[in-house]
Amino acid sequence: MFEHAYPLTDGVRALMPPQGLLVIAASLPPGWEVRFVDENIRQATNEEFLWADAVFVTGMHAQRRQIESICHRAHRFDRVAVLGGSSVSACPENYPEFDYLHVGELGDATEALFARLAADPSRPDRQIVLTTKERRDLTAFPLPAYELAELGRYLTGSIQYSSGCPYNCEFCDIPALYGRNPRLKTPAQVTAELDKLLACGMTGPVYFVDDNFIGNRRAVRELLPALVDWQKARRYPFIFSCEATLNIAKRPEILALMREAMFETVFCGIETPEPAALEAMSKDHNMMVPPLEAVETLNRYGMEVVSGIIIGLDTDSPETGDRVIDFIERSHIPMLTINLLQALPRTPLWDRLEKADRLIDDEDRESNVDFVMPYDEVLAMWRTCMERAFSPPAVLARYRHQLDHTYPNRLAVPWRDRHVPWRDVLRGLRILRSVLWEVGVKADYRGEFWKVARACLRRGQIEHLIRIGIMAHHLVMSGRDATAGRQKASHYSARPEEIPVPAE
């Protein structure tokens, strides 16, 4: 994701550090040496495989082929390969070649794994599956090993506050994997993790990776004042973003505190503007406040909304694409992910489609769902939506709306009162130079860009200019990739893409 943005960003190569691996690294027994490689940034080298006794791997369903590739490379050097995380926890049967499978969250299975490897780090004769029965309480989680990650190579930092979501949306696997009763860290833990991120050199954007930031609203009301105090005491080194259900718009007391803590972006899974579809997918909580009104409410608190949209629902009709585009235009949401419906294992959707014999196991297809509408029509609708939503005039018009109607509502902290290291200033200038050259001079849509850029320059809003230039460029290029058939129609699909070859 954001692959078109990275060339403009002075060394950034991936979205955010993987919390799971960094927590596992911090949980290892004392004395164990560990190296961390994120293959979103670079491949592990032969020397690193030779150095290791065990290779711990994690990933999501869409990364299945890369996960398998790492396993094969570990075995090439006769190293034990261990797989944990969300994909294997949902589908252990998909990974028969790994030596150890860790199914579930950090807990008793983790301790059993460490004990086995301490006793014998060689490859076992057969695969061993360890399943967590007793999860470690989030209040007992260690500080993630942020010091192992090249934090400057990520677009945003990451932090986890809670796990689980109280809702049961048909397409989502979170309740099955992590439960419907959100489990929580303490405010003191969260601020300690922020202190460590800061000590490791991270400043700027930090994303709360929680499944639903307001899954426990009472707890969030206790956390937010601590975040406000922490930001004030350290001169606002971070800009926060999170994922939350759209009914957050009903909680002005939470939104006011989020603004004071400098939350500036909220990802909301709006999914569809069609009420019947929301009801069918058990997401009627999105209708507690009319979606357009909810987005406007978040904008009034200075929060830009990022949204997920799904094409290919059973309730879709030939008019659905036009309704999606109309919603995007009226909501002025600048950044969206538009995906074809993909059925994930351990979801009500998967179970329903499996019973109806509507799951298709064909990785050459853009989705594993046998749609109600003809497949070619659904795919064409997705491509049309991508083309229209991410055309340069459409993208830049939506960002201009944010510039005029959302960003002015954010917490205003003078630069002299902000913690902004000189390295960040210099990096920002280098990124600004790239944006002005690549987008402002070379891009074929530079005229649309300058309509917004001139407004930023007149107001002295260089930060906004940089961010809009980077993100608009990615969205425009992504839309063109989709139209030309160069992009998968779902970020959740395991359809193979180019797999990197082992590094020498």
Side-chain angles (χ1 to χ4, degrees):
M1 296 178 69
F2 296 106
E3 65 276 6
H4 297 295
Y6 300 147
L8 304 178
T9 51
D10 194 46
V12 168
R13 290 293 178 269
L15 179 58
M16 68 180 76
Q19 279 283 304
L21 275 181
L22 297 180
V23 170
I24 290 293
S27 303
L28 293 171
W32 284 28
E33 297 180 45
V34 59
R35 295 184 185 179
F36 168 73
V37 178
D38 184 348
E39 291 212 338
N40 292 296
I41 294 175
R42 68 167 181 87
Q43 284 223 282
T45 64
N46 291 347
E47 185 275 330
E48 285 167 327
F49 279 105
L50 285 168
W51 172 87
D53 294 302
V55 180
F56 284 19
V57 187
T58 193
M60 305 177 81
H61 295 313
Q63 298 162 321
R64 179 177 172 184
R65 299 309 174 202
Q66 182 68 4
I67 291 170
E68 293 170 341
S69 168
I70 298 170
C71 179
H72 297 160
R73 285 144 58 201
H75 286 169
R76 215 174 88 197
F77 297 101
D78 199 33
R79 296 307 189 249
V80 61
V82 183
L83 178 62
S86 60
S87 184
V88 67
S89 295
C91 299
E93 67 277 5
N94 285 351
Y95 300 100
E97 296 184 272
F98 274 83
D99 301 299
Y100 288 92
L101 299 184
H102 182 292
V103 177
E105 295 179 74
L106 186 68
D108 54 353
T110 320
E111 300 306 321
L113 172 66
F114 294 163
R116 284 176 176 268
L117 291 176
D120 183 3
S122 62
R123 295 182 59 192
D125 296 333
R126 58 178 179 80
Q127 183 180 78
I128 296 173
V129 180
L130 302 170
T131 302
T132 295
K133 300 291 194 299
E134 295 183 15
R135 295 180 294 202
R136 185 183 299 190
D137 197 287
L138 260 67
T139 58
F141 269 41
L143 296 176
Y146 293 123
E147 70 277 5
L148 298 178
E150 299 177 80
L151 295 177
R153 308 299 298 278
Y154 294 97
L155 197 61
T156 177
S158 61
I159 189 169
Q160 182 185 24
Y161 164 55
S162 66
S163 181
C165 178
Y167 300 107
N168 198 30
C169 305
E170 186 186 44
F171 57 85
C172 183
D173 59 359
I174 294 302
L177 289 173
Y178 307 119
R180 296 185 62 183
N181 184 23
R183 290 161 291 121
L184 308 159
K185 294 178 181 176
T186 66
Q189 275 181 285
V190 173
T191 55
E193 291 188 22
L194 292 174
D195 278 327
K196 185 169 184 180
L197 267 176
L198 188 59
C200 290
M202 172 61 71
T203 51
V206 170
Y207 193 90
F208 278 81
V209 300
D210 305 25
D211 312 311
N212 183 358
F213 186 68
I214 61 162
N216 185 320
R217 291 186 290 273
R218 179 182 297 176
V220 166
R221 285 194 291 266
E222 295 175 2
L223 170 68
L224 287 170
L227 291 182
V228 171
D229 292 343
W230 188 91
Q231 288 271 60
K232 288 179 179 178
R234 287 155 185 80
R235 299 173 57 225
Y236 299 92
F238 294 138
I239 298 168
F240 295 130
S241 54
C242 68
E243 179 174 345
T245 41
L246 198 58
N247 57 355
I248 191 175
K250 287 174 59 70
R251 301 291 172 178
E253 75 284 3
I254 290 177
L255 294 175
L257 285 169
M258 290 175 68
R259 179 183 178 276
E260 292 299 308
M262 206 172 272
F263 277 80
E264 294 189 352
T265 307
V266 180
F267 180 95
C268 295
I270 292 174
E271 321 307 356
T272 174
E274 300 182 328
L278 290 170
E279 187 172 352
M281 68 173 68
S282 300
K283 195 149 190 174
D284 43 357
H285 50 274
N286 264 11
M287 297 184 287
M288 290 181 179
V289 179
L292 290 173
E293 182 182 322
V295 172
E296 186 179 351
T297 297
L298 289 166
N299 292 166
R300 285 202 305 272
Y301 285 90
M303 280 171 257
E304 181 182 303
V305 175
V306 177
S307 177
I309 298 289
I310 300 174
I311 300 290
L313 301 167
D314 284 2
T315 50
D316 282 3
S317 70
E319 292 75 38
T320 293
D322 289 335
R323 294 188 187 117
V324 166
I325 294 301
D326 178 68
F327 173 79
I328 293 172
E329 291 175 349
R330 294 171 63 197
S331 68
H332 306 287
I333 295 174
M335 183 180 296
L336 307 101
T337 60
I338 305 176
N339 287 288
L340 280 193
L341 180 67
Q342 181 82 8
L344 299 179
R346 300 191 66 180
T347 63
L349 175 65
W350 176 282
D351 295 340
R352 177 171 67 81
L353 296 181
E354 187 176 48
K355 289 177 183 176
D357 197 27
R358 289 180 54 201
L359 293 175
I360 299 176
D361 186 14
D362 180 358
E363 290 188 345
D364 291 329
R365 235 171 151 267
E366 294 285 355
S367 170
N368 62 354
V369 175
D370 181 11
F371 301 118
V372 171
M373 288 178 60
Y375 172 75
D376 290 342
E377 290 184 25
V378 175
L379 185 57
M381 183 189 299
W382 173 77
R383 286 191 172 135
T384 299
C385 285
M386 292 289 288
E387 180 180 19
R388 294 173 64 187
F390 299 143
S391 70
V395 170
L396 272 306
R398 298 198 301 271
Y399 270 115
R400 179 56 192 261
H401 180 89
Q402 300 301 308
L403 187 67
D404 293 340
H405 300 284
T406 300
Y407 302 163
N409 300 323
R410 290 175 171 172
L411 183 70
V413 180
W415 272 101
R416 63 180 179 275
D417 297 329
R418 294 272 305 275
H419 175 81
V420 182
W422 268 108
R423 69 169 189 274
D424 287 4
V425 175
L426 296 175
R427 187 180 198 185
L429 292 174
R430 291 193 294 269
I431 296 173
L432 177 63
R433 181 181 59 190
S434 295
V435 168
L436 294 178
W437 176 248
E438 296 294 335
V439 182
V441 176
K442 294 173 63 177
D444 59 8
Y445 64 91
R446 56 188 175 273
E448 297 294 337
F449 166 75
W450 280 110
K451 291 178 183 177
V452 181
R454 277 193 292 268
C456 292
L457 290 172
R458 282 196 302 268
R459 303 170 190 179
Q461 296 171 331
I462 303 302
E463 271 190 299
H464 296 334
L465 172 58
I466 291 172
R467 185 177 184 278
I468 290 172
I470 289 171
M471 294 306 165
H473 180 70
H474 171 72
L475 294 173
V476 169
M477 294 298 107
S478 182
R480 292 177 178 179
D481 280 352
T483 304
R486 295 189 296 265
Q487 179 178 308
K488 290 198 300 184
S490 174
H491 293 302
Y492 303 98
S493 169
R495 182 170 71 81
E497 294 186 302
E498 181 180 348
I499 305 240
V501 297
E504 296 298 335

